[in-house]
Amino acid sequence: RWRSPAHCSFVRGHACCICDDTSGIEVAHVRIGSGAGIGQKPDDWRTVSLCRDCHSLQHSMGERSFWATGKLDVEALIDAFCKASPKSAEIARIRKEREGG
C-alpha cells in the first residue's frame, strides 16, 4: 500500500469534513471502493479529515452507513484532498498505474 506521512499531515491540517471541528483531527482511511479487506488499510491517498468523535462514529457504525447518512460524496472529497495535496503528482501517478493506465 502507498504510504505518505506528508499527505496524511496535509489531510490532518483541515477541519473535520462532517462537523467542521478543528480540534482532534485524525486521518480517516476510506475502505469503500479501495479493494482493501477487513483488517487492511487502504492507500494513504484514500483519506479524509475527521475529528476524533466523527472518526469513532465512522468505525462504530460502519463506513457504508456513516457515509450514507451525510450529504457528502466521499469519493469527491478524497479526490479534492488528492488534487490539493503536496503529493498530488505522486498520487496521480500511482492512481493511473493502479487503473492500468
Side-chain angles (χ1 to χ4, degrees):
R1 94 178 167 92
W2 183 77
R3 293 181 179 180
S4 175
H7 180 72
C8 288
S9 180
F10 169 76
V11 170
R12 197 176 295 109
H14 291 77
C16 177
C17 295
I18 301 299
C19 71
D20 285 330
D21 192 351
T22 57
S23 62
I25 299 299
E26 298 178 349
V27 174
H29 287 82
V30 179
R31 286 175 178 76
I32 299 168
S34 71
I38 294 173
Q40 296 178 321
K41 279 194 178 176
D43 295 305
D44 281 350
W45 61 265
R46 290 198 54 82
T47 56
V48 297
S49 57
L50 295 178
C51 69
R52 244 181 234 107
D53 291 341
C54 289
H55 195 186
S56 178
L57 187 59
Q58 177 205 26
H59 284 284
S60 66
M61 72 186 295
E63 280 191 58
R64 291 198 188 280
S65 297
F66 179 80
W67 291 112
T69 62
K71 303 226 187 293
L72 292 175
D73 176 347
V74 70
E75 291 299 327
L77 201 51
I78 290 168
D79 285 343
F81 275 117
C82 288
K83 287 175 183 170
S85 173
K87 293 293 191 173
S88 61
E90 187 176 341
I91 292 168
R93 181 181 52 77
I94 300 262
R95 289 175 84 174
K96 187 174 180 181
E97 286 173 5
R98 302 255 173 100
E99 292 169 1

